[in-house]
């Protein structure tokens, strides 16, 4: 019998509801890997976040960063607390710093409607919502993170940066993603979301998208302005397949996307680079519900499934993809009847109810 393939996963539970959703997630991962067979995950849990900053003076200790660099993948809960801040008043957000430090340029934010979870949209087409927003994650307006200035208490400035090299790899990543999804039955449509009618940087961004598009035949590539996109995401979100956009626009639109599929507790994400990747739910630390067992852990579970998928594709290990599918199917099965309604949506299912249901389904 061959030994199971082992992957080293650095686990950063973080702050607030981060640890509350991470604990059951590790159980779900262990169970799915056992069932899939031929696969094992070795978890190393390390400190990072606002609590770590308060206790040690560093939000991302060197030992944590070194381990993250050496890991096969990084699983992150959530980080930041409103009452713990840097001297300039900004929140502690090492998850944003990690994107720059590990060069994680593609923020992948899938929005897939799970049957049984209500959408705020009344249309029956809401059941068809299944798109991916790719948020550029290392530059755009966030290039200014920690670098904003205030002059004489009169003028504040932040600078948006778009570079050719980064945009080319971001678009290539997104076109490949659209091709991949097309091979699984999606329409093969990709939309560049920008504000090219007003800003030079976005005209540049759009121009690079147009240059790269012919290299990926079989896709329909188009553009949309970010304001019109916000409108159409509410009107006809089922028409979208893959969207690719700048960092700040992606930050905002991905919360809108989460709202369409029932809330942040259902929205997974991945920050992917050429050498590293971090998988974390779209949500933050939700200080308003911390410690009450109200957090929906589904986004964390679905992020873990994305991690397995990424590991499987990268290392050509089919068992990873099998385990990823098990987790996604288990989340779908847990909610399918509509009886399990997360507190976030006005229901009574707390963290443990949802975790037990998903674990049972795995
Ligand atoms: P960040 O800026 O770090 O992304 P945020 O300030 O946007 O964070 P969140 O912490 O994501 O805010 O919370 C936004 C709202 O969504 C809060 O009311 C919170 O309780 C709710 N929420 C977030 N995640 C979950 C979850 N997993 N389950 C239930 N409710 C959640």
């Amino acid at each position: 019998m061959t030994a199971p393939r082992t992957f080293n996963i650095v686990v950063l539970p973080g702050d607030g509801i981060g640890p509350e959703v991470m604990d059951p997630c590790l159980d779900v991962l262990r169970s799915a890997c056992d069932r899939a067979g031929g696969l094992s995950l070795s978890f190393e849990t390390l400190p990072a976040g606002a609590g770590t900053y308060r206790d040690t003076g560093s939000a991302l200790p060197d030992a944590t960063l070194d381990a993250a660099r050496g890991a096969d993948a990084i699983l992150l809960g959530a980080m930041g607390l409103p009452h713990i801040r840097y001297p300039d008043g900004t929140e502690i957000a090492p998850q944003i710093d990690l994107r720059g430090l590990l060069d994680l340029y593609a923020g992948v934010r899938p929005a897939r409607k799970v049957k049984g979870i209500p959408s705020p949209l009344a249309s029956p087409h809401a059941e068809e919502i299944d798109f991916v927003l790719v948020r550029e994650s290392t530059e755009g307006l966030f290039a200014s993170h920690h670098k904003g200035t205030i002059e004489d208490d009169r003028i504040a400035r932040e600078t948006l940066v778009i570079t050719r090299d980064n945009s080319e790899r971001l678009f290539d990543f997104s076109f490949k993603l659209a091709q991949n999804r097309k091979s699984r039955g999606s329409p093969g449509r990709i939309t560049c979301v920008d504000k090219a009618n007003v800003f030079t940087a976005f005209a540049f961004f759009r121009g690079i998208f147009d240059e790269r598009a012919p290299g990926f035949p079989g896709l329909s590539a188009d553009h949309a302005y970010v304001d019109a996109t916000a409108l159409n995401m509410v009107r006809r979100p089922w028409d979208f397949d893959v969207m690719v956009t700048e960092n700040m626009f992606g930050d905002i639109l991905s919360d809108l996307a989460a709202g369409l599929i029932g809330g942040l507790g259902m929205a997974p994400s991945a920050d992917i680079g050429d050498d590293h990747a971090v998988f974390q739910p779209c949500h933050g630390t939700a200080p308003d519900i911390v410690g009450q067992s109200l957090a929906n852990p589904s986004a964390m579970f679905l992020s873990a499934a994305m991690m397995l998928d990424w590991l499987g594709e990268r290392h050509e290990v089919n068992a990873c993809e099998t385990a990823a599918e098990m987790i996604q199917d288990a989340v779908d099965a847990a909610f399918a009847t509509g009886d399990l309604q997360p507190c976030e949506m006005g229901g009574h299912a707390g963290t443990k109810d949802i975790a037990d249901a998903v674990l049972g389904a795995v």
Side-chain angles (χ1 to χ4, degrees), residues 132-298:
V132 181
L133 182 78
V134 182
R135 164 190 176 184
E136 196 292 317
S137 296
T138 55
E139 51 183 34
L141 191 54
F142 281 69
S144 194
H145 190 218
H146 299 313
K147 296 185 196 132
T149 58
I150 301 176
E151 293 158 33
D152 302 329
D153 205 23
R154 285 180 49 249
I155 307 174
R157 293 182 207 278
E158 308 273 0
T159 305
L160 181 146
V161 177
I162 303 281
T163 64
R164 167 169 287 280
D165 285 354
N166 192 57
S167 301
E168 286 182 352
R169 63 184 184 166
L170 173 79
F171 292 137
D172 290 357
F173 177 95
S174 307
F175 286 123
K176 279 183 210 147
L177 176 69
Q179 283 182 328
N180 216 336
R181 281 171 57 85
K182 190 175 179 189
S183 71
R184 298 181 193 181
S186 292
R189 178 179 176 209
I190 175 162
T191 307
C192 175
V193 178
D194 57 48
K195 192 75 183 168
N197 50 337
V198 177
F199 295 106
T200 308
F202 284 111
F204 179 64
F205 188 68
R206 178 181 285 209
I208 299 169
F209 176 84
D210 287 344
E211 282 169 26
R212 305 304 285 182
F216 300 86
L219 298 176
S220 125
D222 56 20
H223 331 102
Y225 299 129
V226 65
D227 41 351
T229 301
L231 179 75
N232 287 325
M233 280 175 73
V234 174
R235 270 192 181 158
R236 302 184 56 80
W238 42 88
D239 281 350
F240 290 106
D241 181 4
V242 174
M243 286 183 259
V244 55
T245 192
E246 178 270 340
N247 206 339
M248 186 67 176
F249 289 166
D251 187 31
I252 298 165
L253 292 183
S254 61
D255 268 32
L256 170 51
L260 296 172
I261 56 162
L264 284 164
M266 298 305 298
S269 91
D271 290 307
I272 298 180
D274 293 333
D275 302 317
H276 306 278
V278 173
F279 300 84
Q280 66 172 113
C282 276
H283 61 74
T285 52
D288 54 332
I289 57 165
V290 76
Q292 300 166 58
S293 202
L294 296 177
N296 178 358
S298 303

Side-chain angles (χ1 to χ4, degrees), residues 34-55:
D34 280 355
R35 294 286 317 274
L39 175 64
S40 107
L41 301 180
S42 157
F43 298 119
E44 185 182 6
T45 300
L46 292 168
T52 307
Y53 174 78
R54 178 196 53 213
D55 298 341

Side-chain angles (χ1 to χ4, degrees), residues 1-8 29-42 308 311-312 315-324 326:
M1 214 174 93
T2 49
R5 176 71 197 261
T6 301
F7 291 103
N8 297 315
L29 272 170
R30 282 188 197 100
S31 177
C33 291
D34 280 355
R35 294 286 317 274
L39 175 64
S40 107
L41 301 180
S42 157
L308 287 169
L311 284 169
H315 299 279
E316 297 181 357
V317 177
N318 289 339
C320 287
E321 277 142 0
T322 307
M326 271 180 197

Side-chain angles (χ1 to χ4, degrees), residues 84-166:
I84 303 177
R85 293 178 183 252
Y86 289 118
D88 71 355
T90 58
E91 276 195 36
I92 314 297
Q95 71 279 23
I96 298 177
D97 300 330
L98 263 179
R99 293 172 196 157
L101 291 163
L102 301 181
D103 202 17
L104 311 175
Y105 57 89
V108 181
R109 310 284 176 97
R112 184 183 64 91
K113 174 73 176 58
V114 169
K115 189 165 175 272
I117 293 287
S119 165
L121 301 183
S123 167
H125 288 294
E127 291 303 318
E128 298 159 23
I129 297 172
D130 182 1
F131 62 83
V132 181
L133 182 78
V134 182
R135 164 190 176 184
E136 196 292 317
S137 296
T138 55
E139 51 183 34
L141 191 54
F142 281 69
S144 194
H145 190 218
H146 299 313
K147 296 185 196 132
T149 58
I150 301 176
E151 293 158 33
D152 302 329
D153 205 23
R154 285 180 49 249
I155 307 174
R157 293 182 207 278
E158 308 273 0
T159 305
L160 181 146
V161 177
I162 303 281
T163 64
R164 167 169 287 280
D165 285 354
N166 192 57

